[in-house]
Every structure is written in C-alpha cells, then in structure tokens.
Amino acid sequence: MDRRQLKLSSKLPASSILEVVIAMVIIVIVFGIAMMIYTNVLRFSLSGKKIKAEAILQETLLAANQSKQYENRSFEVDGFSIQQEALPVNGSGRLMQFTLVALDINRDTVAKVQQLIIAHD
C-alpha cells in the first residue's frame, strides 16, 4: 500500500492584517450611518404619546370654545401638563390667539395647538 504523506509546508490562503482593518473600518462606517438613520426615524415618527397629547389638546380647545372662557392657566391631564394661554392680537380686545401646549414629565413639548378666536363680550 502506498501511504501518502500530508504536506505540512503548504500555505493556506488568508487575509492580511491590512485587509482585515479596512473591512472593520467599512463595517463601522456603515453601522454609524445606519444608527444615524435609525435615530432620525425615531425622532421624526409620530409616537403614541404625541398622538394622545394632540387628542387631549383638541378636546381642551373644543371645551374652551364651547364654554367661551379663554383664561391663562395650567393643569394636568393623563400625565401631561397642559399650558393654556390666550393673548390679544395686535392690542385688539376681541381677536385673541389661543395657544395650548402639552408637556411631558421631563417638561419637553410633546404637542402644540394654536387658534385665532373672536372673543364675544
């Protein structure tokens, strides 16, 4: 029988350290770009919290229009701090800018609604 011996001196194909470093740099750059895109999508997307805050502001605006009471006040609704402000426009006593702002626990603005109102005397 003929026994074949393994060649121990043969070279295996491999990558150099420079090729590995270049591949790692490319992977890090692609990962960094992907993370920037992901954070932008999260920041600009409509969250459930924002939709809920806008619904609360619309309800508050409707209630203020029905009661015809436009005073400056702050109150809490469903974990949101609502700031209500009514300011006369250009010194006019009848035309008012009615602003509602919803703030979260961290005092960050979640939603804002503005409307011009003709106040009845």
Side-chain angles (χ1 to χ4, degrees):
M1 283 201 176
D2 185 22
R3 293 187 183 181
R4 297 186 184 202
Q5 292 185 357
L6 294 174
K7 291 183 180 180
L8 297 176
S9 64
S10 66
K11 289 188 174 185
L12 297 174
S15 300
S16 69
I17 190 74
L18 182 62
E19 292 172 333
V20 172
V21 169
I22 290 173
M24 289 176 64
V25 167
I26 291 172
I27 289 170
V28 168
I29 290 172
V30 169
F31 183 74
I33 292 170
M35 288 305 297
M36 287 189 313
I37 292 171
Y38 178 72
T39 56
N40 284 338
V41 166
L42 285 181
R43 186 173 30 161
F44 293 120
S45 68
L46 287 176
S47 66
K49 184 166 70 168
K50 184 174 181 178
I51 293 171
K52 183 177 179 181
E54 287 176 353
I56 291 170
L57 291 182
Q58 290 297 330
E59 286 178 19
T60 305
L61 181 63
L62 184 62
N65 281 337
Q66 290 174 350
S67 67
K68 305 288 187 213
Q69 294 178 349
Y70 308 110
E71 70 271 1
N72 296 337
R73 65 184 182 128
S74 294
F75 54 95
E76 297 281 329
V77 176
D78 289 340
F80 293 105
S81 175
I82 309 296
Q83 294 179 347
Q84 177 177 317
E85 186 176 58
L87 298 173
V89 177
N90 295 333
S92 171
R94 293 192 63 207
L95 186 60
M96 300 180 75
Q97 180 178 359
F98 190 68
T99 306
L100 292 168
V101 179
L103 305 171
D104 63 2
I105 294 173
N106 299 327
R107 306 299 291 170
D108 292 329
T109 301
V110 178
K112 184 176 183 178
V113 174
Q114 292 181 328
Q115 186 176 24
L116 288 175
I117 297 172
I118 299 175
H120 299 287
D121 294 331

